[in-house]
Amino acid sequence: MIFYFSGTGNTRWAAEQLAAATKERLYFIPEELKTACEYTLEENERIGFCFPVHGWQPPHIVRQFVSRLTLLTPCHSTLDAHYAYALCTCGDSTGLAVKMLAGELAAKGIVLQSCQSLIMPESYVCLPFMYTDTPQREHEKKDEAKVVLEKFANVVVSRQSGYEQLTLGLTPWTFTHIIGAYFNRFMITDKKFTVDGDVCIHCGKCAEVCPVGDIEFDNTPSWKNDSSCTCCLSCYHHCPVHAINYGRITRKRGQYYFRE
């Protein structure tokens, strides 16, 4: 089984490729959080976790899911007999996001045996120095990611242990535990989303693509302010007329979501 979260589609694409390679079940974390989060593993079934890096940490929705996760094994096997792995997507570097998740999984008896980071087109544009990639760089990243993902899929299919290919970046501890801690505590909010009423075409696409159902739509979108937002920016990037912005900083910035 593969548990995944995705906003603008990068991680969904990667998770779907791994599901096709392993022929194993795919579960979308926001939907699973509506359930008891209890699952029974099949004989020799792998356990995969796929997620985007948010501020050099796993998204809070992924950590919430792991905290509630219960995995049951066939009567004649134990949890440590099932191969476990993680794949994360990021625009440039992961920090210690995978290590953080690995620690939380280990507390559940799940030990990661392989992990991979996948550099994908940039989608977070809410800081002064962050922009979407140029079309050329977007295509380059996708082409490179396909090669990396195919190799990792072979690692997972063959159940290779000890495989770790992560783009940690410079000073990963600082980025994860200081900058990332601040970012995930104070900057993950839907309160800065705005809609240009004279631009909005009232299509409802933003509410349709929000992975956590944070948008209420009544001719124009409004955000619930109920702490469910992950700041994945799916609403912003999918708006066909760029009517949605995050504060003032995104008004002249590009949009991106995964397309083949």
Side-chain angles (χ1 to χ4, degrees):
M1 57 182 60
I2 301 171
F3 302 106
Y4 81 98
F5 173 67
S6 183
T8 52
N10 285 333
T11 309
R12 182 185 66 244
W13 167 75
E16 288 172 346
Q17 303 308 303
L18 290 172
T22 60
K23 297 179 173 57
E24 291 178 340
R25 299 173 285 175
L26 195 60
Y27 296 91
F28 186 43
I29 285 174
E31 290 300 316
E32 297 309 307
L33 281 170
K34 299 174 184 177
T35 73
C37 301
E38 181 175 296
Y39 310 87
T40 300
L41 290 158
E42 296 179 354
E43 187 74 26
N44 296 319
E45 187 171 12
R46 303 168 188 83
I47 311 164
F49 298 88
C50 300
F51 63 95
V53 173
H54 285 184
W56 300 281
Q57 292 188 359
H60 68 76
I61 192 171
V62 175
R63 300 178 71 185
Q64 179 188 3
F65 174 74
V66 169
S67 73
R68 291 177 50 186
L69 177 63
T70 299
L71 292 176
L72 306 176
T73 61
C75 59
H76 55 279
S77 71
T78 58
L79 194 55
D80 59 6
H82 291 265
Y83 183 85
Y85 64 93
L87 178 143
C88 66
T89 61
C90 60
D92 51 22
S93 63
T94 68
L96 299 179
V98 173
K99 183 177 181 180
M100 177 179 286
L101 187 70
E104 294 173 6
L105 289 171
K108 293 280 185 172
I110 304 167
V111 178
L112 294 180
Q113 290 161 279
S114 65
C115 52
Q116 176 74 59
S117 62
L118 205 59
I119 304 299
M120 294 293 290
E122 184 64 70
S123 63
Y124 192 78
V125 293
C126 297
L127 290 174
F129 53 88
M130 301 193 79
Y131 298 84
T132 52
D133 293 307
T134 64
Q136 179 181 349
R137 184 59 183 139
E138 178 183 320
H139 289 304
E140 289 173 352
K141 281 186 172 182
K142 286 182 178 178
D143 288 342
E144 292 163 3
K146 288 176 182 178
V147 175
V148 173
L149 184 57
E150 183 177 357
K151 181 178 180 180
F152 186 61
N154 290 333
V155 168
V156 172
V157 168
S158 62
R159 303 173 190 267
Q160 183 176 332
S161 185
Y163 185 90
E164 181 177 306
Q165 295 292 321
L166 301 172
T167 306
L168 302 180
L170 298 174
T171 60
W173 190 95
T174 299
F175 274 95
T176 293
H177 294 291
I178 297 179
I179 301 172
Y182 180 89
F183 176 89
N184 281 280
R185 182 174 180 183
F186 297 110
M187 299 181 70
I188 303 297
T189 177
D190 60 6
K191 294 180 180 179
K192 293 185 178 182
F193 283 110
T194 60
V195 182
D196 293 335
D198 58 339
V199 178
C200 177
I201 58 173
H202 319 294
C203 65
K205 184 69 174 179
C206 50
E208 176 188 332
V209 300
C210 177
V212 296
D214 183 45
I215 299 176
E216 295 177 331
F217 192 83
D218 183 9
N219 197 41
T220 57
S222 61
W223 287 258
K224 295 179 181 179
N225 302 148
D226 62 359
S227 300
S228 63
C229 181
T230 66
C231 263
C232 70
L233 301 185
S234 185
C235 56
Y236 163 84
H237 287 293
H238 280 87
C239 179
V241 292
H242 209 323
I244 294 174
N245 283 286
Y246 194 79
R248 298 181 60 85
I249 201 165
T250 61
R251 288 189 175 274
K252 294 184 179 180
R253 300 206 174 176
Q255 294 172 290
Y256 165 82
Y257 61 90
F258 185 88
R259 309 172 188 79
E260 282 286 8

